[in-house]
Amino acid sequence: MGATLIKIASIYFVVGVCFGMFMSITHKFEFASVHAHINLVGWVSLALAGLVYSVFPKAADSRLGKFHFWLHNIGLPIMMISLFLLVSGVPNTEPIVAVGGTVTAIAVVLFMLNVILNVHATKEQAIIHNKTTSL
């Protein structure tokens, strides 16, 4: 799961950079909120979650990890596409932005709970920590 999240994050990174270039070339800076969300909630958040899940496989293998993965990757595209449409002037898309945002926010809360419940120092990390602090 960690590697998959990192791969998906890299896609958001490319999309975010290309979208930023589009905004710069066309001078359509009203889409800055879409650009920021793609980069922060897509690229950065998913890459960091992927790293956490790579280091702590118990969290990656948990039901919370799977729910986080799917809700994040369903909610974020819904939120981003509908936010783009809303900023473009398409009426009545605000509720869709809210649904996508809510689904994504639930995913983030599930990630937090997963970290709290399933991220623990391994015995090897504890041994290394004890060796380095006793020097």
Side-chain angles (χ1 to χ4, degrees), residues 14-102:
V14 170
V15 170
V17 167
C18 290
F19 195 72
M21 289 177 64
F22 158 78
M23 288 177 10
S24 180
I25 292 167
T26 62
H27 299 278
K28 294 187 180 277
F29 299 109
E30 64 269 21
F31 295 113
S33 61
V34 179
H35 173 66
H37 279 84
I38 289 170
N39 283 313
L40 292 175
V41 185
W43 158 235
V44 176
S45 297
L46 288 179
L48 289 172
L51 291 174
V52 168
Y53 287 157
S54 293
V55 174
F56 300 98
K58 181 180 176 187
D61 295 336
S62 71
R63 291 182 69 197
L64 284 170
K66 288 169 184 42
F67 281 129
H68 162 244
F69 174 89
W70 285 109
L71 290 178
H72 202 125
N73 286 292
I74 291 168
L76 186 58
I78 291 170
M79 181 174 66
M80 292 300 87
I81 293 166
S82 56
L83 182 58
F84 177 83
L85 293 171
L86 181 65
V87 174
S88 296
V90 176
N92 303 320
T93 54
E94 193 169 355
I96 302 168
V97 175
V99 168
T102 301

Coordinates of all heavy atoms in Angstrom, one line a residue, residues 14-102:
V14 N 2.6 15.6 -10.8 CA 2.7 16.0 -12.2 C 1.5 16.8 -12.6 O 1.6 17.8 -13.2 CB 2.8 14.7 -13.1 CG1 2.7 15.1 -14.6 CG2 4.2 14.0 -12.9
V15 N 0.3 16.4 -12.2 CA -0.9 17.1 -12.4 C -0.9 18.5 -11.8 O -1.2 19.5 -12.5 CB -2.2 16.3 -11.9 CG1 -3.4 17.2 -12.0 CG2 -2.4 15.1 -12.7
G16 N -0.4 18.6 -10.6 CA -0.3 19.9 -9.9 C 0.7 20.8 -10.6 O 0.4 22.0 -10.8
V17 N 1.8 20.3 -11.0 CA 2.8 21.1 -11.7 C 2.3 21.6 -13.1 O 2.4 22.7 -13.5 CB 4.2 20.4 -11.9 CG1 5.1 21.1 -12.8 CG2 4.8 20.2 -10.5
C18 N 1.7 20.7 -13.8 CA 1.1 21.0 -15.1 C 0.0 22.0 -15.0 O -0.1 23.0 -15.8 CB 0.6 19.8 -15.9 SG 2.0 18.7 -16.4
F19 N -0.8 21.8 -13.9 CA -1.9 22.8 -13.7 C -1.4 24.2 -13.3 O -1.9 25.2 -13.8 CB -2.9 22.3 -12.6 CG -4.2 23.0 -12.6 CD1 -5.1 22.8 -13.5 CD2 -4.4 23.9 -11.5 CE1 -6.4 23.4 -13.5 CE2 -5.7 24.5 -11.5 CZ -6.6 24.3 -12.5
G20 N -0.3 24.2 -12.6 CA 0.3 25.4 -12.2 C 0.9 26.1 -13.5 O 0.8 27.3 -13.6
M21 N 1.5 25.3 -14.4 CA 2.0 25.9 -15.6 C 0.8 26.5 -16.5 O 0.9 27.5 -17.0 CB 2.7 24.8 -16.4 CG 4.1 24.5 -15.8 SD 4.9 23.2 -16.7 CE 5.2 24.0 -18.3
F22 N -0.3 25.7 -16.5 CA -1.5 26.2 -17.2 C -2.0 27.5 -16.7 O -2.2 28.5 -17.4 CB -2.6 25.2 -17.1 CG -4.0 25.7 -17.3 CD1 -4.5 26.0 -18.6 CD2 -4.8 26.0 -16.3 CE1 -5.7 26.5 -18.8 CE2 -6.1 26.5 -16.4 CZ -6.6 26.8 -17.7
M23 N -2.0 27.6 -15.3 CA -2.4 28.9 -14.7 C -1.5 30.0 -15.1 O -1.9 31.2 -15.3 CB -2.5 28.7 -13.2 CG -3.6 27.9 -12.7 SD -3.7 27.6 -10.9 CE -2.5 28.7 -10.2
S24 N -0.2 29.7 -15.0 CA 0.8 30.8 -15.3 C 0.7 31.2 -16.8 O 0.8 32.4 -17.1 CB 2.2 30.2 -15.0 OG 3.2 31.2 -15.3
I25 N 0.6 30.3 -17.7 CA 0.6 30.6 -19.1 C -0.7 31.4 -19.5 O -0.7 32.3 -20.3 CB 0.7 29.3 -20.0 CG1 2.1 28.7 -19.8 CG2 0.3 29.6 -21.5 CD1 2.2 27.3 -20.4
T26 N -1.8 31.0 -18.9 CA -3.1 31.6 -19.3 C -3.5 32.8 -18.4 O -4.5 33.5 -18.6 CB -4.3 30.6 -19.2 OG1 -4.4 30.1 -17.8 CG2 -4.0 29.4 -20.2
H27 N -2.7 33.0 -17.3 CA -3.0 34.0 -16.3 C -4.4 33.8 -15.7 O -5.1 34.8 -15.3 CB -2.9 35.4 -16.9 CG -1.5 35.7 -17.4 ND1 -0.5 36.1 -16.6 CD2 -1.0 35.6 -18.7 CE1 0.6 36.3 -17.3 NE2 0.3 36.0 -18.6
K28 N -4.8 32.6 -15.5 CA -6.0 32.2 -14.8 C -5.7 31.8 -13.4 O -5.8 30.6 -13.0 CB -6.7 31.1 -15.6 CG -7.2 31.6 -16.9 CD -8.1 30.5 -17.6 CE -8.6 30.9 -18.9 NZ -9.7 31.8 -18.9
F29 N -5.3 32.8 -12.6 CA -4.9 32.5 -11.2 C -6.1 32.3 -10.2 O -5.9 32.0 -9.1 CB -4.0 33.6 -10.7 CG -2.7 33.7 -11.5 CD1 -2.5 34.8 -12.4 CD2 -1.8 32.7 -11.5 CE1 -1.4 34.8 -13.2 CE2 -0.6 32.7 -12.3 CZ -0.4 33.8 -13.1
E30 N -7.3 32.4 -10.7 CA -8.5 32.1 -9.9 C -8.5 30.6 -9.5 O -9.3 30.2 -8.7 CB -9.8 32.6 -10.6 CG -10.1 31.8 -11.9 CD -9.5 32.5 -13.1 OE1 -8.6 33.3 -13.1 OE2 -10.1 32.2 -14.2
F31 N -7.7 29.8 -10.2 CA -7.7 28.4 -9.9 C -6.7 28.0 -8.9 O -6.3 26.8 -8.7 CB -7.5 27.6 -11.2 CG -8.6 27.7 -12.2 CD1 -8.3 28.3 -13.4 CD2 -9.8 27.1 -11.9 CE1 -9.4 28.4 -14.3 CE2 -10.8 27.2 -12.9 CZ -10.6 27.9 -14.1
A32 N -6.1 29.0 -8.2 CA -5.0 28.7 -7.2 C -5.5 27.7 -6.1 O -4.7 26.9 -5.7 CB -4.6 30.0 -6.6
S33 N -6.7 27.8 -5.7 CA -7.2 26.9 -4.7 C -7.2 25.4 -5.2 O -6.8 24.5 -4.4 CB -8.6 27.2 -4.2 OG -9.5 27.2 -5.2
V34 N -7.5 25.2 -6.4 CA -7.5 23.9 -7.0 C -6.0 23.4 -7.1 O -5.7 22.3 -6.7 CB -8.1 23.9 -8.4 CG1 -8.0 22.5 -9.0 CG2 -9.5 24.3 -8.4
H35 N -5.1 24.3 -7.5 CA -3.7 24.0 -7.7 C -3.1 23.6 -6.3 O -2.4 22.6 -6.1 CB -3.0 25.2 -8.3 CG -1.5 25.1 -8.3 ND1 -0.8 24.2 -9.0 CD2 -0.6 25.8 -7.6 CE1 0.5 24.4 -8.9 NE2 0.6 25.4 -8.0
A36 N -3.4 24.4 -5.3 CA -2.9 24.2 -3.9 C -3.4 22.8 -3.4 O -2.6 22.1 -2.8 CB -3.3 25.3 -3.0
H37 N -4.7 22.5 -3.5 CA -5.2 21.3 -3.0 C -4.6 20.1 -3.7 O -4.4 19.0 -3.1 CB -6.8 21.3 -3.1 CG -7.4 22.0 -2.0 ND1 -7.6 23.4 -2.1 CD2 -7.9 21.6 -0.9 CE1 -8.2 23.8 -1.0 NE2 -8.4 22.7 -0.2
I38 N -4.5 20.1 -5.0 CA -3.9 19.0 -5.8 C -2.5 18.7 -5.2 O -2.1 17.6 -5.0 CB -3.8 19.3 -7.3 CG1 -5.2 19.3 -7.9 CG2 -2.9 18.3 -8.0 CD1 -5.3 19.8 -9.3
N39 N -1.7 19.8 -5.0 CA -0.3 19.6 -4.5 C -0.3 19.2 -3.1 O 0.5 18.3 -2.7 CB 0.5 20.9 -4.8 CG 0.9 21.0 -6.2 OD1 1.4 20.1 -6.8 ND2 0.7 22.2 -6.8
L40 N -1.0 19.8 -2.2 CA -0.9 19.5 -0.8 C -1.7 18.3 -0.4 O -1.2 17.4 0.4 CB -1.4 20.7 0.0 CG -0.5 21.9 -0.1 CD1 -1.0 23.1 0.7 CD2 0.9 21.6 0.5
V41 N -3.0 18.2 -0.8 CA -3.8 17.0 -0.3 C -3.5 15.8 -1.2 O -3.7 14.7 -0.8 CB -5.3 17.4 -0.3 CG1 -6.1 16.3 0.2 CG2 -5.5 18.7 0.5
G42 N -3.1 16.1 -2.5 CA -2.7 15.0 -3.4 C -1.3 14.5 -3.2 O -1.0 13.5 -2.7
W43 N -0.4 15.4 -3.7 CA 1.0 15.0 -3.8 C 1.6 14.9 -2.4 O 2.1 13.8 -2.0 CB 1.8 16.1 -4.6 CG 3.2 16.2 -4.4 CD1 3.9 17.3 -4.1 CD2 4.3 15.2 -4.5 NE1 5.3 17.1 -3.9 CE2 5.5 15.8 -4.2 CE3 4.2 13.8 -4.7 CZ2 6.7 15.1 -4.2 CZ3 5.4 13.1 -4.7 CH2 6.6 13.7 -4.4
V44 N 1.6 15.9 -1.6 CA 2.3 15.9 -0.3 C 1.7 14.9 0.7 O 2.4 14.0 1.3 CB 2.4 17.3 0.3 CG1 3.1 17.3 1.7 CG2 3.2 18.2 -0.6
S45 N 0.4 15.0 0.9 CA -0.3 14.1 1.9 C -0.2 12.7 1.5 O 0.1 11.8 2.4 CB -1.7 14.6 2.1 OG -1.8 15.9 2.5
L46 N -0.4 12.3 0.3 CA -0.4 10.9 -0.1 C 1.0 10.4 -0.1 O 1.2 9.2 0.3 CB -1.1 10.7 -1.5 CG -2.6 10.9 -1.4 CD1 -3.2 10.7 -2.8 CD2 -3.2 9.9 -0.5
A47 N 2.0 11.2 -0.5 CA 3.4 10.7 -0.4 C 3.8 10.5 1.0 O 4.5 9.4 1.3 CB 4.3 11.8 -1.1
L48 N 3.5 11.4 1.9 CA 3.8 11.2 3.3 C 3.1 9.9 3.9 O 3.7 9.1 4.6 CB 3.5 12.4 4.1 CG 4.5 13.6 3.9 CD1 4.0 14.8 4.6 CD2 5.9 13.2 4.3
A49 N 1.8 9.8 3.6 CA 1.1 8.6 4.0 C 1.7 7.3 3.5 O 1.9 6.3 4.2 CB -0.4 8.7 3.6
G50 N 2.2 7.4 2.2 CA 2.8 6.2 1.6 C 4.1 5.9 2.3 O 4.4 4.7 2.6
L51 N 4.9 6.9 2.7 CA 6.1 6.7 3.5 C 5.8 6.1 4.9 O 6.4 5.1 5.3 CB 6.9 7.9 3.6 CG 7.5 8.5 2.4 CD1 8.2 9.8 2.6 CD2 8.5 7.5 1.8
V52 N 4.7 6.6 5.5 CA 4.3 6.1 6.8 C 3.9 4.6 6.7 O 4.4 3.7 7.4 CB 3.2 6.9 7.4 CG1 2.6 6.2 8.6 CG2 3.7 8.3 7.8
Y53 N 3.1 4.3 5.7 CA 2.7 2.9 5.5 C 3.9 2.0 5.1 O 3.8 0.8 5.3 CB 1.6 2.9 4.4 CG 0.2 3.4 4.9 CD1 -0.7 3.9 4.1 CD2 -0.1 3.4 6.3 CE1 -1.9 4.3 4.5 CE2 -1.3 3.9 6.8 CZ -2.2 4.4 5.8 OH -3.4 4.8 6.3
S54 N 4.9 2.5 4.4 CA 6.0 1.7 4.0 C 6.9 1.4 5.3 O 7.4 0.3 5.4 CB 6.9 2.5 3.0 OG 6.2 2.6 1.8
V55 N 7.0 2.3 6.2 CA 7.8 2.1 7.4 C 7.0 1.3 8.4 O 7.6 0.5 9.2 CB 8.2 3.4 8.0 CG1 8.9 3.2 9.3 CG2 9.1 4.2 7.0
F56 N 5.7 1.4 8.4 CA 4.8 0.7 9.4 C 3.8 -0.1 8.7 O 2.6 0.3 8.6 CB 4.2 1.7 10.3 CG 5.1 2.6 11.1 CD1 5.5 3.9 10.7 CD2 5.8 2.1 12.3 CE1 6.4 4.6 11.4 CE2 6.7 2.8 13.0 CZ 7.0 4.1 12.5
P57 N 4.2 -1.3 8.3 CA 3.3 -2.2 7.5 C 2.0 -2.6 8.2 O 1.0 -2.9 7.6 CB 4.1 -3.4 7.1 CG 5.4 -3.3 7.9 CD 5.5 -1.9 8.4
K58 N 2.1 -2.6 9.6 CA 0.9 -2.9 10.3 C -0.2 -1.9 10.1 O -1.4 -2.3 9.9 CB 1.2 -3.0 11.8 CG 0.0 -3.3 12.7 CD 0.3 -3.4 14.2 CE -0.9 -3.7 15.0 NZ -0.6 -3.5 16.4
A59 N 0.1 -0.6 9.9 CA -0.8 0.4 9.6 C -1.3 0.2 8.2 O -2.5 0.4 7.9 CB -0.2 1.8 9.8
A60 N -0.4 -0.1 7.3 CA -0.8 -0.3 5.9 C -1.8 -1.4 5.7 O -2.7 -1.4 4.9 CB 0.4 -0.5 5.0
D61 N -1.6 -2.5 6.5 CA -2.4 -3.7 6.3 C -3.7 -3.6 7.1 O -4.6 -4.5 6.9 CB -1.6 -4.9 6.8 CG -0.4 -5.2 5.9 OD1 -0.4 -4.8 4.7 OD2 0.5 -5.8 6.4
S62 N -3.9 -2.6 7.9 CA -5.1 -2.5 8.7 C -6.3 -2.1 7.9 O -6.2 -1.6 6.8 CB -4.9 -1.5 9.8 OG -4.9 -0.2 9.3
R63 N -7.5 -2.4 8.4 CA -8.7 -1.9 7.7 C -8.8 -0.4 7.6 O -9.2 0.2 6.6 CB -10.0 -2.4 8.5 CG -10.1 -4.0 8.3 CD -11.4 -4.5 9.0 NE -12.5 -4.0 8.3 CZ -13.7 -4.0 8.8 NH1 -14.0 -4.4 10.0 NH2 -14.7 -3.6 8.0
L64 N -8.3 0.3 8.7 CA -8.2 1.8 8.6 C -7.4 2.2 7.5 O -7.7 3.2 6.8 CB -7.7 2.3 10.0 CG -8.7 2.3 11.2 CD1 -7.9 2.6 12.4 CD2 -9.8 3.2 10.9
G65 N -6.3 1.6 7.2 CA -5.4 1.9 6.1 C -6.1 1.8 4.8 O -6.0 2.6 3.9
K66 N -6.8 0.7 4.6 CA -7.5 0.4 3.4 C -8.6 1.5 3.2 O -8.8 2.0 2.1 CB -8.0 -1.0 3.3 CG -6.9 -2.0 3.1 CD -7.3 -3.4 3.3 CE -6.2 -4.4 3.2 NZ -5.0 -4.1 3.8
F67 N -9.4 1.7 4.3 CA -10.5 2.7 4.2 C -9.9 4.1 3.8 O -10.4 4.9 3.0 CB -11.3 2.8 5.4 CG -12.3 1.7 5.6 CD1 -12.4 1.0 6.7 CD2 -13.2 1.4 4.5 CE1 -13.3 -0.1 6.8 CE2 -14.1 0.4 4.6 CZ -14.2 -0.3 5.8
H68 N -8.8 4.5 4.5 CA -8.1 5.7 4.2 C -7.7 5.8 2.8 O -8.0 6.8 2.1 CB -6.8 5.9 5.1 CG -5.9 6.9 4.6 ND1 -4.6 6.6 4.2 CD2 -6.1 8.3 4.4 CE1 -4.0 7.7 3.7 NE2 -4.9 8.8 3.9
F69 N -7.1 4.8 2.2 CA -6.6 4.8 0.9 C -7.8 5.0 -0.1 O -7.7 5.9 -1.0 CB -6.0 3.4 0.6 CG -5.6 3.2 -0.9 CD1 -4.4 3.6 -1.3 CD2 -6.5 2.6 -1.8 CE1 -4.0 3.5 -2.7 CE2 -6.2 2.5 -3.1 CZ -4.9 2.9 -3.6
W70 N -8.9 4.2 0.0 CA -10.0 4.4 -0.9 C -10.7 5.7 -0.8 O -11.1 6.3 -1.8 CB -10.9 3.2 -0.8 CG -10.3 2.0 -1.4 CD1 -9.8 0.9 -0.8 CD2 -10.0 1.8 -2.8 NE1 -9.2 0.0 -1.7 CE2 -9.3 0.5 -3.0 CE3 -10.2 2.5 -4.0 CZ2 -8.9 0.0 -4.2 CZ3 -9.9 2.0 -5.2 CH2 -9.2 0.8 -5.3
L71 N -11.0 6.1 0.5 CA -11.8 7.3 0.6 C -11.0 8.5 0.1 O -11.5 9.4 -0.5 CB -12.2 7.5 2.1 CG -13.2 6.6 2.6 CD1 -13.5 6.8 4.1 CD2 -14.5 6.7 1.8
H72 N -9.7 8.5 0.4 CA -8.8 9.7 -0.1 C -8.8 9.7 -1.6 O -8.9 10.8 -2.2 CB -7.4 9.5 0.5 CG -6.6 10.8 0.5 ND1 -6.0 11.2 1.7 CD2 -6.3 11.7 -0.4 CE1 -5.4 12.3 1.5 NE2 -5.6 12.7 0.2
N73 N -8.7 8.6 -2.2 CA -8.6 8.5 -3.7 C -9.9 8.6 -4.4 O -9.9 8.7 -5.6 CB -7.8 7.3 -4.1 CG -6.3 7.5 -3.8 OD1 -5.6 8.3 -4.4 ND2 -5.8 6.7 -2.8
I74 N -11.0 8.5 -3.7 CA -12.3 8.8 -4.3 C -12.7 10.2 -4.0 O -13.1 11.0 -4.9 CB -13.4 7.8 -3.7 CG1 -13.1 6.4 -4.2 CG2 -14.8 8.3 -4.0 CD1 -13.9 5.3 -3.5
G75 N -12.5 10.7 -2.8 CA -13.0 12.0 -2.4 C -12.2 13.2 -3.1 O -12.7 14.2 -3.5
L76 N -10.8 13.0 -3.1 CA -10.0 14.1 -3.7 C -10.3 14.4 -5.1 O -10.5 15.6 -5.5 CB -8.5 13.8 -3.5 CG -7.6 14.9 -3.8 CD1 -7.9 16.2 -3.1 CD2 -6.1 14.5 -3.6
P77 N -10.4 13.4 -6.0 CA -10.7 13.8 -7.4 C -12.1 14.4 -7.6 O -12.3 15.3 -8.3 CB -10.7 12.4 -8.2 CG -9.8 11.6 -7.3 CD -10.0 12.0 -5.9
I78 N -13.1 13.9 -6.8 CA -14.4 14.5 -6.8 C -14.3 16.0 -6.4 O -14.9 16.9 -7.0 CB -15.4 13.7 -5.9 CG1 -15.7 12.4 -6.5 CG2 -16.7 14.5 -5.7 CD1 -16.4 11.4 -5.6
M79 N -13.6 16.2 -5.3 CA -13.5 17.6 -4.8 C -12.8 18.5 -5.8 O -13.2 19.6 -6.1 CB -12.7 17.6 -3.5 CG -12.6 19.0 -2.9 SD -11.9 19.0 -1.2 CE -10.2 18.4 -1.5
M80 N -11.7 18.0 -6.4 CA -10.9 18.8 -7.3 C -11.6 19.1 -8.6 O -11.6 20.3 -9.1 CB -9.5 18.1 -7.6 CG -8.6 18.0 -6.5 SD -8.2 19.7 -5.8 CE -9.5 20.0 -4.6
I81 N -12.2 18.1 -9.2 CA -13.0 18.4 -10.4 C -14.1 19.3 -10.2 O -14.3 20.3 -11.0 CB -13.4 17.0 -11.1 CG1 -12.2 16.2 -11.5 CG2 -14.4 17.3 -12.2 CD1 -12.5 14.8 -11.8
S82 N -14.9 19.1 -9.2 CA -16.0 19.9 -8.9 C -15.6 21.4 -8.5 O -16.3 22.3 -8.8 CB -17.0 19.3 -7.9 OG -16.3 19.0 -6.7
L83 N -14.5 21.5 -7.8 CA -14.0 22.8 -7.4 C -13.5 23.6 -8.7 O -13.8 24.8 -8.8 CB -12.8 22.7 -6.4 CG -12.2 24.0 -5.9 CD1 -13.3 24.9 -5.2 CD2 -11.1 23.7 -4.9
F84 N -12.9 22.9 -9.6 CA -12.5 23.5 -10.9 C -13.7 24.0 -11.6 O -13.8 25.1 -12.1 CB -11.7 22.5 -11.7 CG -11.4 23.0 -13.1 CD1 -10.2 23.8 -13.2 CD2 -12.2 22.7 -14.2 CE1 -9.9 24.3 -14.5 CE2 -11.9 23.2 -15.4 CZ -10.7 24.0 -15.6
L85 N -14.8 23.2 -11.6 CA -16.0 23.6 -12.3 C -16.7 24.7 -11.6 O -17.2 25.7 -12.2 CB -17.0 22.4 -12.4 CG -16.5 21.2 -13.3 CD1 -17.5 20.0 -13.1 CD2 -16.5 21.7 -14.7
L86 N -16.7 24.7 -10.3 CA -17.3 25.8 -9.5 C -16.6 27.1 -9.8 O -17.2 28.1 -10.1 CB -17.2 25.5 -8.0 CG -17.8 26.6 -7.0 CD1 -19.3 26.7 -7.3 CD2 -17.5 26.2 -5.6
V87 N -15.2 27.1 -9.7 CA -14.5 28.3 -10.0 C -14.6 28.8 -11.5 O -14.6 30.0 -11.8 CB -13.0 28.1 -9.7 CG1 -12.1 29.3 -10.1 CG2 -12.8 27.8 -8.2
S88 N -14.9 27.8 -12.4 CA -15.1 28.1 -13.8 C -16.5 28.7 -14.0 O -16.8 29.1 -15.1 CB -15.0 26.9 -14.6 OG -13.7 26.4 -14.6
G89 N -17.3 28.7 -13.0 CA -18.6 29.3 -13.2 C -19.8 28.4 -13.4 O -20.9 28.8 -13.7
V90 N -19.5 27.1 -13.3 CA -20.6 26.1 -13.5 C -21.4 26.1 -12.2 O -20.9 25.9 -11.1 CB -20.0 24.7 -13.7 CG1 -21.1 23.7 -13.8 CG2 -19.1 24.7 -14.9
P91 N -22.7 26.4 -12.4 CA -23.6 26.6 -11.2 C -23.9 25.2 -10.5 O -23.8 24.2 -11.1 CB -24.9 27.2 -11.7 CG -24.9 26.8 -13.2 CD -23.4 26.7 -13.6
N92 N -24.3 25.3 -9.3 CA -24.7 24.1 -8.5 C -23.7 23.0 -8.3 O -24.1 21.9 -8.0 CB -26.0 23.5 -9.1 CG -27.1 24.5 -9.3 OD1 -27.3 25.4 -8.4 ND2 -27.8 24.5 -10.4
T93 N -22.4 23.3 -8.3 CA -21.4 22.3 -8.1 C -20.8 22.4 -6.7 O -20.1 21.5 -6.3 CB -20.2 22.4 -9.1 OG1 -19.7 23.8 -9.1 CG2 -20.7 22.1 -10.5
E94 N -21.2 23.4 -5.9 CA -20.7 23.6 -4.6 C -21.1 22.4 -3.7 O -20.2 21.9 -2.9 CB -21.3 24.9 -3.9 CG -20.5 25.2 -2.7 CD -20.9 26.6 -2.2 OE1 -21.6 27.4 -2.9 OE2 -20.4 26.9 -1.1
P95 N -22.3 21.8 -3.8 CA -22.6 20.6 -2.9 C -21.7 19.4 -3.3 O -21.3 18.6 -2.4 CB -24.0 20.3 -3.3 CG -24.6 21.5 -3.7 CD -23.5 22.2 -4.5
I96 N -21.3 19.3 -4.5 CA -20.4 18.2 -4.9 C -19.0 18.4 -4.4 O -18.3 17.5 -3.9 CB -20.3 18.1 -6.5 CG1 -21.7 17.8 -7.0 CG2 -19.4 16.9 -6.9 CD1 -21.9 17.9 -8.5
V97 N -18.5 19.7 -4.3 CA -17.3 20.0 -3.7 C -17.3 19.6 -2.2 O -16.4 19.0 -1.7 CB -16.9 21.5 -3.8 CG1 -15.7 21.9 -3.0 CG2 -16.8 22.0 -5.2
A98 N -18.5 19.9 -1.6 CA -18.6 19.6 -0.2 C -18.6 18.1 0.1 O -18.0 17.6 1.0 CB -19.9 20.2 0.4
V99 N -19.2 17.3 -0.8 CA -19.2 15.8 -0.7 C -17.8 15.3 -0.8 O -17.3 14.5 0.0 CB -20.2 15.2 -1.7 CG1 -19.9 13.7 -1.8 CG2 -21.6 15.5 -1.4
G100 N -17.1 15.7 -1.9 CA -15.7 15.3 -2.1 C -14.8 15.7 -0.9 O -14.0 14.9 -0.5
G101 N -15.0 16.9 -0.5 CA -14.2 17.4 0.7 C -14.5 16.7 1.9 O -13.5 16.3 2.7
T102 N -15.7 16.3 2.2 CA -16.1 15.6 3.4 C -15.5 14.2 3.3 O -15.0 13.7 4.3 CB -17.6 15.5 3.5 OG1 -18.1 16.9 3.6 CG2 -18.0 14.7 4.8

